């Protein structure tokens, strides 16, 4: 059974930019799902269907499958709920781990979140200086929630 173990942090400052070794624009939308998030994502010229369990915290079930690009475009245009998530994902290596820094656009412009995938829930790692407040357990920062309640609409940001 595929498991995702991930920690999530707000990004502080721009020092990570000089360390980024790859950047790709992503568009994704969410389909109905009560006990899970179901998303279609286009990354560059590839498209994938992703299903994740809805638990809060570092560990969740995750399944992912490639789908045809033209079908992904149609799904994003016609079947998703809420707003599309548009962002540029930057890959940054730090202390042997690859961090994904998401720079949001559109309805979530101004938000930057860094995520790191781990091998174990209790894995020790060196957090870079630009990884600020941890938001792993704050559902507001999950992409499925950002599609329903965009960052621009938060009154407490």
């Amino acid at each position: 059974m595929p498991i995702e173990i991930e920690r999530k942090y707000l990004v502080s400052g721009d020092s990570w930019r000089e360390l980024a070794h790859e950047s790709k624009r992503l568009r994704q939308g969410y389909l109905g799902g009560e006990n899970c998030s179901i998303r279609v994502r286009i990354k560059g010229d590839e498209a994938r269907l992703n299903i994740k369990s809805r638990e809060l915290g570092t560990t969740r079930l995750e399944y992912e499958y490639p789908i045809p690009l033209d079908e992904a475009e149609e799904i994003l245009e016609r079947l998703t709920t809420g707003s599309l998530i548009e962002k540029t994902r930057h890959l940054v290596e730090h202390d042997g781990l690859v961090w994904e820094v998401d720079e949001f656009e559109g309805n979530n412009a101004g938000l930057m979140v860094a995520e790191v995938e781990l091998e174990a829930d209790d894995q020790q790692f060196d957090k870079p200086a630009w990884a600020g407040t941890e938001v792993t357990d704050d559902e507001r920062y999950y992409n499925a929630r950002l599609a329903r309640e965009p960052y621009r609409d938060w009154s407490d940001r």
Side-chain angles (χ1 to χ4, degrees), residues 33-140:
E34 193 170 314
N35 297 322
C36 61
S37 75
I38 305 168
R39 123 184 132 210
V40 170
R41 172 184 281 168
I42 297 174
K43 182 178 180 182
D45 59 356
E46 295 180 354
R48 300 183 80 72
L49 173 68
N50 177 281
I51 304 164
K52 281 187 194 182
S53 60
R54 259 201 214 276
E55 295 105 5
L56 281 178
T58 58
T59 305
R60 296 185 282 171
L61 295 174
E62 181 179 38
Y63 305 90
E64 191 165 272
Y65 310 97
I67 61 173
L69 184 59
D70 60 333
E71 291 179 16
E73 292 281 3
E74 184 172 21
I75 291 168
L76 288 181
E77 182 181 321
R78 300 182 65 195
L79 300 178
T80 57
T81 60
S83 35
L84 289 181
I85 299 293
E86 301 170 280
K87 59 187 177 181
T88 300
R89 173 163 288 167
H90 307 276
L91 301 183
V92 180
E93 289 188 37
H94 176 78
D95 197 37
L97 295 173
V98 176
W99 289 71
E100 298 173 342
V101 177
D102 287 343
E103 189 170 9
F104 288 84
E105 303 158 18
N107 291 337
N108 293 295
L111 178 62
M112 290 201 321
V113 176
E115 301 175 352
V116 62
E117 288 198 18
L118 304 171
E119 296 293 321
D121 197 31
D122 60 353
Q123 179 178 339
Q124 299 296 307
F125 61 95
D126 179 44
K127 185 178 93 165
W130 44 262
T133 304
E134 183 168 8
V135 293
T136 301
D137 294 324
D138 189 339
E139 188 180 5
R140 294 178 304 164

